[in-house]
Amino acid sequence: MALWGGRFTQAADQRFKDFNDSLRFDYRLAEQDIEGSIGWSKALVKVGVLSPQEQQQLEQALELLLIEVRSNPQAILQDDAEDIHSWVESKLIDKVGNLGKKLHTGRSRNDQVAVDIKMWCKQQVTELQYCIRQLQAKLVKTAENNQHAVMPGYTHLQRAQPISFAHWCMAYVEMLERDYSRLSDAYQRMNSCPLGSGALAGTAYAIDREQLAQDLGFARATRNSLDSVSDRDHIVELLSAASLSMVHLSRFAEDMIIFNSGEADFVELSDLVTSGSSLMPQKKNPDACELIRGKTGRVIGALNAMMITLKGLPLAYNKDMQEDKEGIFDALDTWHDCLTMAAFVLEDIRVNVERTREAALKGYSNATELADYLVAKGVPFRDSHHIVGETVVYAIKVHKGLEDLSLAEFRQFSDVVAEDVYDILLLQSCLDKRCAKGGVSPLRVAEAISEAKQRIGLK
Ligand code: ARG
């Protein structure tokens, strides 16, 4: 029987029920709903609705239900309750009889669903932060193992200046650090308890809401009942943090796909995360990375969907808000899976150092070095830029690298070039010179690695 039978003379049409019911997805809030209910039962003792004995009886039954739910959450799906809140209430009544019917005193499903989803979100933040740290740890380890793998760095996907594979890894550690801190920020804001806001106007019982908030692990109680039941900012914020992080993961995946291509051949992805073609026997496709890139779309889609759903909703609760769940569940599951998969991609990766070095040597990625060299010899940078440009045109024509030009060839363009030019054109020198904070010099990269290890608590 539905929770609201009294007002109705007819049962709802099955077609409406199928459309309206949310149990098939909100069953995932079972644990939170039970914990929230235990908290609420305690609050009801203090306002004289429940005796301490009654509360204990309810709490024991709810604890039992919690154990059942944890051992088999999917079993809930067999029931035809409207949503998880009615399911928990009906199971409680099954266990303790009429006493179970007292629990909903002073509470509404509106503040109930609000507290459930917030508790769930808070738990997810902790879990996702853990996954971010795991991926960062993998990146730092990969960086540590590849400090001497020189490769071309790109702008416009044109070889620009040499970098190391380690420096590339550490760039993603930084992005993930911001993702991590976005979750921390969002956590602070979502850490307020809406329970005790009633349907919209507040509860008619003198509930100590700060105590209730504390009992449920929140830092404080929300301040306005209307806002409490209408607020889904925490969902939007998590979807937004997820979307941006997915953008980072997608760029990581795309870099990997390029590095793994036959053209680049910089890395070889392990058999564990690639798949073959049904037709072309030679192929080894970077599916894991492609899926990370591809799944970014649905996470961003969930963010859009949520914002569009909320836009224009009048205060306070509207059933539209039930649409928050499938999106956030799917998006956070997807983000979680992609973080885990990205770490897995790095597990067994092989960097082809001969090939990355060879590519770094090509493409005139030491041209900036030559310009800086001329500057050191007194040529103004704008002129040296021009001179080097002409030198590169010449080198391309004669199919040589800059380091392969003879002194006589260099001097066609500038007579300040001397024998010492060859040292500065070496890849190693290109790296070593970039020693200001954040640069690619091996010293700086080693520092960045050890700082990151400290930050993320890695030995
Ligand atoms: N299933 C609903 C949701 O997810 C729970 C709240 C229902 N409240 C109500 N007044 N019908 O939003």
Side-chain angles (χ1 to χ4, degrees):
M1 228 248 288
L3 295 173
W4 27 261
R7 166 81 171 73
F8 292 77
T9 46
Q10 272 190 305
D13 188 282
Q14 188 59 40
R15 285 164 295 185
F16 164 71
K17 198 170 147 44
D18 292 344
F19 186 63
N20 185 55
D21 289 2
S22 52
L23 189 68
R24 69 189 159 80
F25 48 87
D26 69 13
Y27 79 98
R28 290 183 65 172
L29 298 176
E31 290 193 21
Q32 288 74 20
D33 201 78
I34 295 170
E35 276 158 17
S37 296
I38 293 174
W40 186 244
S41 71
K42 289 179 183 160
L44 287 180
V45 176
K46 291 187 208 125
V47 294
V49 171
L50 292 176
S51 71
Q53 292 77 10
E54 287 177 321
Q55 190 279 330
Q56 264 184 11
Q57 215 185 324
L58 287 177
E59 183 167 346
Q60 273 166 15
L62 287 164
E63 292 284 3
L64 196 64
L65 191 58
L66 191 58
I67 294 170
E68 290 166 15
V69 157
R70 282 191 177 139
S71 74
N72 186 8
Q74 307 271 337
I76 303 170
L77 295 171
Q78 307 310 317
D79 204 276
D80 103 315
E82 178 188 339
D83 57 23
I84 191 59
H85 323 295
S86 20
W87 184 84
V88 169
E89 190 172 320
S90 75
K91 292 297 142 193
L92 186 64
I93 294 167
D94 286 351
K95 285 194 196 303
V96 299
N98 278 342
L99 172 60
K101 297 182 183 169
K102 287 190 175 184
L103 179 65
H104 208 56
T105 316
R107 184 175 72 164
S108 157
R109 278 186 297 162
N110 298 350
D111 58 349
Q112 202 178 347
V113 72
V115 76
D116 289 2
I117 194 84
K118 261 192 177 175
M119 284 164 71
W120 185 85
C121 285
K122 283 176 61 186
Q123 196 184 37
Q124 290 297 304
V125 167
T126 311
E127 174 67 20
L128 287 159
Q129 284 191 319
Y130 173 79
C131 293
I132 291 177
R133 284 287 184 249
Q134 294 292 103
L135 175 54
Q136 283 182 312
K138 261 276 141 38
L139 283 161
V140 171
K141 281 276 172 223
T142 311
E144 203 166 28
N145 296 335
N146 290 283
Q147 294 181 68
H148 304 296
V150 187
M151 71 175 188
Y154 297 87
T155 62
H156 314 268
L157 203 52
Q158 304 281 312
R159 276 171 233 171
Q161 288 174 346
I163 58 169
S164 61
F165 193 74
H167 199 52
W168 175 86
C169 290
M170 295 306 291
Y172 285 99
V173 172
E174 290 301 317
M175 293 176 229
L176 289 162
E177 193 64 33
R178 294 193 293 276
D179 296 339
Y180 187 97
S181 79
R182 257 183 286 279
L183 283 174
S184 303
D185 294 346
Y187 188 92
Q188 297 310 323
R189 269 185 299 280
M190 73 177 72
N191 204 3
S192 60
C193 179
L195 194 58
S197 298
L200 75 163
T203 183
Y205 296 80
I207 301 288
D208 180 351
R209 291 195 53 229
E210 290 299 341
Q211 182 61 51
L212 174 61
Q214 229 183 59
D215 289 349
L216 294 179
F218 286 91
R220 58 195 175 275
T222 52
R223 285 191 292 258
N224 178 292
S225 63
L226 276 181
D227 176 51
S228 303
V229 294
S230 329
D231 172 26
R232 293 294 182 274
D233 287 7
H234 39 292
I235 292 183
V236 174
E237 283 195 52
L238 284 190
L239 287 172
S240 153
S243 295
L244 187 45
S245 184
M246 284 299 295
V247 168
H248 296 150
L249 295 181
S250 183
R251 295 180 78 171
F252 165 85
E254 172 64 4
D255 272 348
M256 273 299 180
I257 291 167
I258 294 175
F259 294 168
N260 184 65
S261 69
E263 280 65 26
D265 195 22
F266 291 174
V267 302
E268 193 186 332
L269 296 175
S270 131
D271 286 1
L272 302 176
V273 294
T274 47
S275 78
S277 154
S278 58
L279 175 69
M280 299 162 281
Q282 84 284 8
K283 291 200 66 185
K284 191 168 152 185
N285 298 326
D287 297 38
C289 292
E290 291 171 287
L291 279 171
I292 292 173
R293 189 178 57 187
K295 285 174 190 290
T296 304
R298 70 199 258 184
V299 175
I300 297 172
L303 169 64
N304 275 328
M306 190 69 246
M307 291 206 288
I308 296 167
T309 300
L310 292 172
K311 173 194 166 298
L313 281 190
L315 291 190
Y317 178 83
N318 301 270
K319 198 58 172 271
D320 313 46
M321 287 156 75
Q322 179 166 289
E323 288 294 309
D324 59 359
K325 289 174 202 64
E326 284 164 291
I328 187 85
F329 290 160
D330 181 70
L332 296 195
D333 287 349
T334 303
W335 183 19
H336 181 283
D337 290 351
C338 290
L339 286 165
T340 312
M341 192 45 62
F344 197 38
V345 164
L346 291 166
E347 183 84 36
D348 231 356
I349 192 175
R350 204 181 63 77
V351 180
N352 186 349
V353 286
E354 293 80 42
R355 186 53 209 134
T356 55
R357 169 170 291 274
E358 188 192 330
L361 282 167
K362 289 200 190 126
Y364 303 94
S365 57
N366 53 2
T368 316
E369 265 29 65
L370 181 57
D372 284 342
Y373 171 87
L374 296 178
V375 167
K377 300 267 172 180
V379 182
F381 181 74
R382 200 41 65 212
D383 293 340
S384 80
H385 186 283
H386 188 80
I387 294 167
V388 176
E390 288 177 335
T391 313
V392 168
V393 171
Y394 170 79
I396 291 171
K397 202 172 77 195
V398 297
H399 304 292
K400 285 182 174 180
L402 288 175
E403 59 285 357
D404 304 320
L405 297 179
S406 68
L407 266 187
E409 287 174 305
F410 275 123
R411 285 184 179 154
Q412 295 171 43
F413 306 98
S414 170
D415 53 13
V416 302
V417 179
E419 195 61 45
D420 57 354
V421 75
Y422 294 104
D423 281 347
I424 66 100
L425 291 175
L426 294 173
L427 280 182
Q428 195 56 48
S429 155
C430 301
L431 298 178
D432 288 344
K433 279 177 77 185
R434 295 196 157 60
C435 60
K437 186 179 168 71
V440 74
S441 98
L443 263 173
R444 287 285 170 258
V445 173
E447 248 170 46
I449 290 173
S450 80
E451 275 175 26
K453 277 173 131 180
Q454 283 218 325
R455 214 168 37 235
I456 65 181
L458 204 72
K459 293 270 163 317

